[in-house]
């Protein structure tokens, strides 16, 4: 067995851009018991990283280690941006904020990883982030845009934003999954759309729309379109995720995953993956329509429709594509950006 490395050595490897990120998988694990939808909980592996507390102190809690790894992932992305900006100054500069579709460290190459071949991207995304946090509680997008545009004088050509997945599928009020709260109990005689005609579903979508509009309004306040016509805001809709864990679990799910969609639907009496997927398809259609409508109301808004870009065999779990799936979605994203410039 290879001698375990120290946490400091792991940090050095994580922040060394000459070391391919995927090779760090030998030192990390995703703990499904601590993960949430769109929020993989990465922690160092105890068999390959020495987690002995210094000077006989208390053991380092797993959630603290997870926060440390997330900070390393964001710092690696920052260093990548600075290096790209220095090496490829002719490429467009982009700012990105979002959830795990923009930041899934080490184990999946998500959208930003692939889009980074065509843009210099400053990405502050965090897996598991919600609209409530990104737009209302702790918004950092305005701070980062000001730093890039006003302080550094960079010609930022776009603001990529990924958010709302956690708000319709992730953990909701009182620890109850949002999906479980917005869906009616199964009635096999009714349509998928009928199962979403609930006050909770309407309230959730109304909140998402208000968050999107707040995002646009706040950027317009600081960077008026007349003065900054090149700054476009790109909001993507999610592709059709697949329910795979009904009636009693997905035997092929990766080690980090849980029954993100099947679990909440099972609690409402659903037993069939196909029908559960049809309900999710209807929900995602409504979310995409909302996103497209909001973007159309703002001159700098650009809606990115990713539906149909990821093949059925390109899903890693019930919420995330494989690296190849995200590559296909990134190609769709790239086509939209090029068409908007």
């Amino acid at each position: 067995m290879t001698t375990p490395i120290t946490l400091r050595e792991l940090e050095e490897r994580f922040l060394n851009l000459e070391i391919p990120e995927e090779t760090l998988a030998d030192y990390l694990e995703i703990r499904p018991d601590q993960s949430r939808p769109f929020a993989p909980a990465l922690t160092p592996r105890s068999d390959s990283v020495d987690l002995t507390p210094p000077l006989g102190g208390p053991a380092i809690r797993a959630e603290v280690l997870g926060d440390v790894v997330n900070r390393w992932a964001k710092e690696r992305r920052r260093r990548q941006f600075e290096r790209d900006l220095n090496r490829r100054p002719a490429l467009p500069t982009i700012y990105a904020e979002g959830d795990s579709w923009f930041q899934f460290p080490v184990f999946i190459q998500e959208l930003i990883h692939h889009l980074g071949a065509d843009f210099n991207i400053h990405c502050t995304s965090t897996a598991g982030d919600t609209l409530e946090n990104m737009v209302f509680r702790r918004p950092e997008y305005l701070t980062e845009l000001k730093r890039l545009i006003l302080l550094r004088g960079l010609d930022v050509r776009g603001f990529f934003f990924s958010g709302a997945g956690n708000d319709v599928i992730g953990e909701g009020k009182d620890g109850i999954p949002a999906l479980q709260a917005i869906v009616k109990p199964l009635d096999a005689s009714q349509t998928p759309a009928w199962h979403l005609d609930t006050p909770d579903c309407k309230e959730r979508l109304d909140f998402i729309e208000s968050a999107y509009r707040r995002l646009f309004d706040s950027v317009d306040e600081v960077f008026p379109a007349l003065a900054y016509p090149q700054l476009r805001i790109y909001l993507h809709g999610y592709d059709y995720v697949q329910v795979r864990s009904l009636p009693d679990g997905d035997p092929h799910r990766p080690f980090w995953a849980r029954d993100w969609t099947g679990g909440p639907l099972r609690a409402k009496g659903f037993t069939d993956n196909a029908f559960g997927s049809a309900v999710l398809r209807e929900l995602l259609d409504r979310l995409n329509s909302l996103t497209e409508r909001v973007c159309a109301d703002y001159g700098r808004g650009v809606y990115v429709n990713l539906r149909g870009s990821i093949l059925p065999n390109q899903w890693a779990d019930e919420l995330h594509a494989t690296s190849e799936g995200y590559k296909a979605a990134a190609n769709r994203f790239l086509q939209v950006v090029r068409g908007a410039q």
Side-chain angles (χ1 to χ4, degrees):
M1 177 181 293
T2 304
T3 303
I5 64 174
T6 65
L7 268 177
R8 176 56 61 87
E9 289 172 323
L10 178 59
E11 178 183 16
E12 291 173 352
R13 297 186 187 194
F14 218 109
L15 301 182
N16 185 348
L17 299 181
E18 301 304 319
I19 297 177
E21 187 175 76
E22 57 270 21
T23 64
L24 300 172
D26 293 338
Y27 304 99
L28 298 169
E29 62 181 351
I30 300 179
R31 300 187 57 160
D33 58 319
Q34 295 182 9
S35 296
R36 306 185 313 278
F38 296 97
L42 273 73
T43 60
R45 289 175 47 174
S46 59
D47 61 344
S48 56
V49 180
D50 184 2
L51 301 177
T52 303
L55 303 177
I60 306 173
R61 301 195 310 275
E63 59 268 27
V64 172
L65 290 171
D67 289 341
V68 169
V69 173
N70 280 332
R71 288 199 297 272
W72 292 345
K74 294 184 76 169
E75 174 61 16
R76 183 182 176 94
R77 277 274 167 89
R78 187 196 67 78
R79 295 186 181 195
Q80 181 74 52
F81 168 68
E82 297 297 341
R83 186 176 74 171
D84 289 347
L85 198 62
N86 182 60
R87 292 181 176 180
R88 315 177 306 182
L91 288 184
T93 297
I94 299 292
Y95 171 60
E97 169 70 309
D99 53 24
S100 58
W101 275 48
F102 276 6
Q103 174 73 303
F104 196 114
V106 180
F107 292 94
I108 293 180
Q109 296 173 346
E110 19 61 5
L111 287 170
I112 296 301
H113 174 92
H114 295 291
L115 290 168
D118 294 274
F119 306 103
N120 296 326
I121 305 178
H122 175 48
C123 178
T124 59
S125 303
T126 302
D129 230 345
T130 64
L131 287 175
E132 177 70 32
N133 187 61
M134 288 187 284
V135 178
F136 296 109
R137 288 184 182 174
R138 289 190 295 272
E140 61 179 332
Y141 61 92
L142 283 179
T143 300
E144 295 301 326
L145 285 171
K146 290 176 184 177
R147 181 178 292 118
L148 294 172
I149 298 172
L150 302 181
L151 295 183
R152 299 184 61 176
L154 296 177
D155 181 20
V156 178
R157 310 297 295 185
F159 172 15
F160 295 172
F161 187 78
S162 177
N166 287 291
D167 298 270
V168 294
I169 293 178
E171 186 173 312
K173 299 176 181 178
D174 302 321
I176 298 174
L179 180 60
Q180 182 177 331
I182 67 178
V183 175
K184 292 180 182 178
L186 174 68
D187 184 338
S189 67
Q190 297 291 344
T191 65
W194 176 88
H195 288 82
L196 293 168
D197 291 335
T198 67
D200 282 330
C201 186
K202 182 180 185 305
E203 178 184 353
R204 184 64 7 196
L205 292 177
D206 286 347
F207 168 75
I208 291 170
E209 180 169 351
S210 70
Y212 282 167
R213 293 188 182 278
R214 175 56 189 158
L215 182 84
F216 276 102
D217 290 339
S218 61
V219 173
D220 284 349
E221 290 170 5
V222 181
F223 303 100
L226 287 177
Y228 300 91
Q230 79 284 0
L231 179 58
R232 311 298 297 273
I233 300 179
Y234 297 83
L235 267 60
H236 79 79
Y238 298 88
D239 201 356
Y240 297 123
V241 300
Q242 297 181 333
V243 179
R244 308 194 309 195
S245 57
L246 293 175
D248 52 11
D250 175 12
H252 305 295
R253 73 185 186 190
F255 67 90
W256 67 73
R258 296 169 65 184
D259 298 344
W260 304 125
T261 58
L265 292 176
R266 189 182 304 118
K268 287 301 185 77
F270 286 74
T271 59
D272 179 66
N273 284 327
F275 194 74
S277 294
V279 172
L280 265 293
R281 185 184 186 92
E282 172 68 23
L283 176 61
L284 290 168
D285 278 340
R286 295 185 187 187
L287 182 55
N288 272 273
S289 295
L290 180 161
T291 306
E292 184 176 19
R293 183 175 69 252
V294 171
C295 287
D297 286 344
Y298 293 86
R300 61 174 18 130
V302 182
Y303 162 63
V304 183
N305 182 7
L306 297 181
R307 287 172 293 181
S309 62
I310 301 170
L311 298 177
N313 65 347
Q314 292 179 328
W315 289 96
D317 58 28
E318 291 185 313
L319 296 178
H320 302 95
T322 62
S323 296
E324 284 302 307
Y326 278 124
K327 182 178 181 180
N331 287 336
R332 172 81 63 81
F333 206 123
L334 179 61
Q335 292 172 8
V336 174
V337 175
R338 286 177 171 168
Q341 291 180 340

